[in-house]
Each structure stands twice: as structure tokens, then as C-alpha cells.
Amino acid sequence: MRVPSTIAILFFWLVAFGGNTELHAQASFYQGQSVRVVVGSSTGGGYDLWARLMALHLGKYIPGNPAIVVQNMPGAGGVVAANYIYAVAKPDGLTLGAFNPGLYFDQLVGRPEVKFDWSKFTWIGSPEQNYVLHYIRSDTPFKTIEDLRNAKEPPRCGSTGTGTTGHYLPRLLDETLGVKTTIVSGYQGGAEIDLAVERNEIVCWSPLIATYFGREPYKRWHKSGFVRVVVQTGAKRDERLRDVPTLNELMQQHKTPDSAKRLAKVILTAATLGRPISAPPGLPSERTKILRAAYAKTLKDPELLAEAAKRGWEVEPLTGEELQSMAKDVVGQPREVIERIKWVMGN
Amino acid sequence: MLEAMIIGFWKTLAWPAFGYMLLGIAIGFWVGLLPGIGGLSTLALMLPFSYSIKEPVAAFAFLLGMLAVTGTTGDLTSILFGIPGEGSSAALILDGYPMSKNGEAGRALGAAIMSSLVGSVIGALSLAVSIPIVRPLVLLFGSPELFIIAIMGITFIGTLAGPSLIKGLLSGGIGLMLAAIGVDPQTGSLRYTFGSLYLWDRLDLVPVVVGMFAIPEIVDLAVRGTSIASSKQERLTGVLEGVKDTFRHWWLVVRCSLIGVYFGILPVLGANVAQWISYAHAVSGLKDKSRAGKGAVEGVLGPGCANNSTRGGDLIPTIAFGIPGSGSMALLLGAMLIVGLNPGPEMLKSRLDVTFSMVWVLIISNIIVAGLCFLILNHLAALTFVRGSLLIPFLMFLVYIGSFTSNNDLLDIVVTLIFGFIGYFMIKFGWPRPPLVLGLTLGKIAENYLWISTAAYGAKWLLFPTVLLLIAITIFTVAYPTIKERMGKAKYERPEDAM
């Protein structure tokens, strides 16, 4: 009896810790398991569609090839899902989250419902980096930011609600460059804003650059010159918007104080983060490594890239490490910046 | 144009488009029948499958075929069990379910299916006819106009109130107050959320409607201890009777279909609002007002056709502008881009055949599903004669699954139960439920557009000619019954005076 059991123990030692010990252990961990991706919005939205596309391929790159299951947990703009990932889900590498990166504003302004610390999530990666632009109808007298700064009657810009690009970018332009805007809030979605612009109910909006180049009527409007882009928020000028100054350039030119520059950085990070994937805090480092590597490989998968191209999505990945350091940067803000954030975000 | 119409027709019938359409219909049939699982979420789930279909017509035959039939089969659940099969079928409960209780399920189903078919044909034809004029039509309606239309919808509370106007208005007022729950879209402040994240997103219509309409009926069924239908009747003739009803009230059906098309074209206000407005319109025309809510077939016909004709109306701005009229259209728009169709002027010129094939899909899929329904109708109607105690567990299951799918949150079920209680006591004390639902639906829309109008135009919008015209129409609609009554009296009194 003794001998066989010793052999069995030895055998186990060999299998479990022999050779590439760690990988084997992880492979056997993920073998036959399923990884759940909790999406903070309902089916059919941008976060959901990206998560579902990623889920088709992610399993291939995790040792042990677990099944990837997408689950929708909509609510409170993603706070429900973020709280769940932060406080309820176990940090075992079997639960991932996909929610709106703008949620860290809710943390910064101290909403009591927020149960998470943005910088403590284990960040896995993001498929894209977004920037915002501000466009205005060409038949208005405003050709540049300079004209907007001197406007007698501020232009009416559309927005779908507080915390969205259409709301925070105009406020940020006010804060950094002194551009006054009347924000008309409450439209049900981007398409309704397009219609309102066409009807001259409003004359400007700030969508993501990807939205502007990704769909009608913008392709048509851009070609015909119906609207004019006056500012973009990327670090450098977008290939397709070579004549449009970036916010940084304008802030340089108008000698914007450092505190306002800092504010701009904190706020615009939300768009830059793209559609990030997170895991609960305290995920063991070897599993973090595996998931980050698998995610990075997934975003290079030719099938995924082909599908994304077909849908008109631009893939510009951010690694987990980059997300982690950006997350740390945005949450540690002094009180005066937070006060300004409250105003810009409409609280 | 005629040529494109014919090409579109053959493209729809060509293989594999036709096969995809049948598949879509098969899925849509069940999705519509089962409460809670709506056309919108199914469309989202089916979207990736459509990507692999390379031919635009085939992809749309699949998606649109599925969406088109959910409106029809959703009505069946509302009539048979008093549980809305789709959010947009709730208004059919009001008179459809009492008909089932009276043993007239066959007639109600026949009326619902036939009116759905007529509605979808009218919706599809409006799509075909309005293609050239849609642009100015949609641009005519800005936020101020939409605000007045929402107000007009709210005035229908008066019509839906039933015997006690005061109770009706109060019920509508409660609905408007409930609509205020959640994150306010203008300033981001939290209203009546009591620290609950669930309430941030406003009350979802599906759990509220399912709870308020289905639970009291299930309780009632359990208390009565009988089957849903309390008296036996000849079933086969019932169905035909329902079909005949559709043609007996032909102009009502046409008018309600047009209401549906109109609400489909306008953004935001879709089938969910159109069904109630049509219902209100249908019962306001009843000679004997006390029949409303007790099984008047007009109350089935009105919403039955309107919630189908909105599908055609919805497609109009989507195709012509690339501006979706509703959530499901936003998804269809995504599908259009993927199969390589550019919504906008192109769809009306070089791709007109595709546009017409969409019209044909709407018509053909509804004809097929109507035929299918007529085949199994007697079996469905027979369900109302099954002993209640056998049905109740199944119905409760459907109710909870149905409300749970709206947010995948257990609190959905809590909301259903709360509104189940409220609904039960509202019936008991004679408070009408439709005004509450209408208030809840329209409150948010009215608030939003009032805010947008004021933010964009100050007070100037109150004097826009279109706004003034719409206000006049609203006042006229409200005052019309009174005027009619006065004039009727005057005519009646005159001979007396002469005496």
C-alpha cells in the first residue's frame, strides 16, 4: 500500500511542478473551465459587440482553452457591473468585466453608490483608443476656435446627457479656452442629434473621431463640407483631419493654466481608454500575466481583425500595463481638480 | 420604380433569401409568443449570424422577417393569457383578454391576426409610397413638435380613463410621476432612486406592464378555480367572425394603421405609444362606451394593426436618412452597413430594388405567419379551456422569465410583484390601469423634449406655426366629444322646442 501511494505522490509532483511548472499548473486550471465576461450594458451596444467579438477568439490563446461566455449586466451606466467585478466576483481569473471607462468620474466626484477604486482593478487590455472632436455647421459664422471664443451668442450644441462626450467636451473647451456653448441635453442618441443638426435645432456636437468617420451621415457631411471640425483631442493630429488643431496645440497657443491642462488630461483619458477589459483586484500575478498575454494575442488574431475591419472598427490596442498606469494617474487628483471635474461632468 | 418593385419582389422570393426569411419567421414566431423576450434583444442576438449572409436582400429577409412577425404573435399571448407577449402588445390585453374570458378567444385571435396583417400591409405600402416625401416630413418635426405630440398622447388619458375621469387622471398622474424615477438626463441628478442602482435606469416598461396586467389575472384565475374561458362556444366560427370583424370595422383598422405608421416615422415614439393611442381612438368611437374593457372587438383591432404598421413606419427614416426610429431600427442600421448598404439617398436610387424587397419582406412574412396562425388557432384557443390550476404554474413561469429578461436583474421580478399588487388593487377599487402605463411611457419623452425645446429656443418655440397647429389639434381632439354631445343635444332638443 505504501509503495504505490508514494509513487502516486511522486507522479503528481512531476506532473504538477516538473518542466514548465507554472504554465502547466495554469493550463490545468483553465482546462474545462469557462471564463465569464460581464458586460456593463445591454446586448447590441458597442461594449457588448466588442466583448462578444473578443470572446470568440480569446479562448484560443489561454492555456487550457477555456470556454468564454459573455453575460450582460446592464445598470446605472455600468456601475452595477463595475461594483460586481470589484466587490463580488472572485479574483480567480474566471471573471472579467467590460464596462464604460467614464465610470471613474463617478468615483472621483464621490458618488456613494460607487463601491470600486478604479486604480485597483486588474486591467487586462483595451482594443482601441478613442479621441473626441468638435464639429459645427459650416453655415454658422464660426470657422475656428478663435471665432467661437469671440462669439456674441454661444452656439447650441447637442448632447445625450451628462458624462457623455457631447456634454463634457464643450464644458472642457470653456474651462481651457474660454469657449462658451449652450448645451442642449436630452437627445436619445447620436442619430437623433444628427437629425437635430440637419434641422438647425442645434449646430454642433462632439462625437468620438471613430463615430465621425465610421458612419453616415458624417461621411456625406464631411465630403460635402456641411459641417466643419474645429478641434480634436488626440495627442497628434488625425491623418484624416490634418488641418484641425488639437486641443493641446490650442492650449499651448492660448497659454492655458496648468491646472486646466491637468483637468483636460483627466477627462480625456476616459475616451483614450477605449473599451477596456478588467478583472477583480488582487488577481494572482501569474494569471494576470496569462490573461494579458492572451488578450494581446487575441487582438492580433487575423480573423478578429478581418471582422473588426468589416464592421469599421479601428483596432489600436492598449496593454494591461498601460491601462494600469493610466488608471493610477487619473484617480489621484487634488481637490481643486475634482471640483472642476464636478462642474465639467455636470454634477 | 415599378421595375424596381418587381425586381425586389423576385429577389425576396429567390433562394436563399426566401429560406432565410422562413428561418427568421420561425424564430420571430416564438420570440413574439413568449413574453419578455422581445424583438429588440433577439435582433441583437441574431445580428452576428446575419453577417455571414453576403447578399443584402437575404440578410434583411432574415432580420426583417423575424422582426415583422413578433408584432403579430405577441398579440396572441396578450389575448389568450392576459400577459403581453411583446411590450408593444400590452394594449390588446384590455379587450382581448376579456374576450377570451367570455369564450370568444377564437374571434379575438382572428381579429388580431387579420388586423395585424392589414396593419403590416398598410405599413409596408406607406413605406413604398412615402419614400419620395419622407425627408421634409421628418425634418418638419423638431423637438417642440414632438413635445406637443407627447402632450397630445397624454391627453388620451382622458379617453382611457373609463367610468371615473378623476381616477383616470390621477392614475395618469401617478404614471407621470413614476416616469421621473432615475438619472435625469439633463443634469445627471438622481431622482427617487433611494440609493438603489437599479432605479438609476428608470422603471423598465416590461416588468411594470407584465406585473400590472398579468398578475391580477393569474390571481383571478386561481380564485375562480375554472379555466380562462368561463363559457363554451363554437370555436371555428369564432375565428372567421374575428376575420369578418376586421372588414366590418375597415376604416377603424385603416385609421389605426396610419396612426401606427405615423408614430413609427417619428423618432422615439414607436409601437409602445402607438398601441395605446390606437386603443384610445378605437374605444372612443364605441357607441356604447361601457363595452370598453369588457371584450369589445374594436379594442383588439386598433392596437392589433397599429403595432404592426409601425414596423413599416420605423423603416422610413432608417432607410431614407440612416436615422433609426427605434432601438430595433438602430440595430438594423448596423446590419445595413455591414452588408454594404448605405442608408440615405442611395437606397432610393441605385438600390431601390433592395428597399422594395424590404417592403415585400414585411408583407410576405406577415402573410405567411397569418396563414400559420390560422392553422393552429383552434389549438391555441383551446388553451383557454384548460383548467386554470394546470395553466397557472406555466403562466407564472412565463411572467417571471419575461420580466427578468428586461435587465437580467432579480429586482425586475420585485418590480413585477409590486406592480402586480398595485394592479390587483387598482382593479378592485375601479382604478384604470392604461393611463398609468401611458403616463409612464410618455412622461420621459415629454420631459426630454420640453427641456430640449427650451434649451434650444428659449420660449420662442411656443409660437412656431407647426406648434400652434398641433396645439389646436390637441385642443380640438380633447373638446370634440363634448362638442359632439352638445350638438347632438341641440338637434335632439329642437323638436321639443318646436312642440
Side-chain angles (χ1 to χ4, degrees), chain A residues 61-105:
Chain A
Y61 300 106
I62 299 177
N65 305 113
I68 314 284
V69 184
V70 176
Q71 182 196 341
N72 295 84
M73 194 184 280
V79 179
V80 173
N83 281 348
Y84 175 83
I85 293 291
Y86 193 84
V88 183
K90 284 200 204 96
D92 54 6
L94 293 179
T95 314
L96 301 175
F99 38 78
N100 166 18
L103 289 181
Y104 67 80
F105 297 124

Side-chain angles (χ1 to χ4, degrees), chain A residues 72 74-76 80 83 111 113 156 161-162 182 184-188 191-192 195 198-199 201 220 307 310-311 346, chain B residues 51 135 138-139 141-143 185-188 190 197 200-201 268 323-324 345 407-408 448-449 451-452 455-457:
Chain A
N72 295 84
V80 173
N83 281 348
R111 289 214 164 174
E113 291 84 358
R156 301 180 304 267
T162 52
T182 303
V184 179
S185 210
Y187 290 101
Q188 298 293 300
E192 219 196 319
L195 196 56
E198 182 145 14
R199 214 166 37 219
E201 190 167 293
R220 204 166 65 233
E307 185 67 42
K310 212 163 125 194
R311 299 187 194 191
Chain B
Y51 297 159
R135 220 178 157 73
V138 173
L139 286 178
F141 287 93
S143 301
Q186 279 80 42
T187 62
L190 299 171
L197 281 173
W200 277 30
D201 296 322
V268 217
I323 288 170
N407 292 307
N408 294 350
N448 250 334
Y449 288 118
W451 182 274
I452 293 177
Y457 302 111

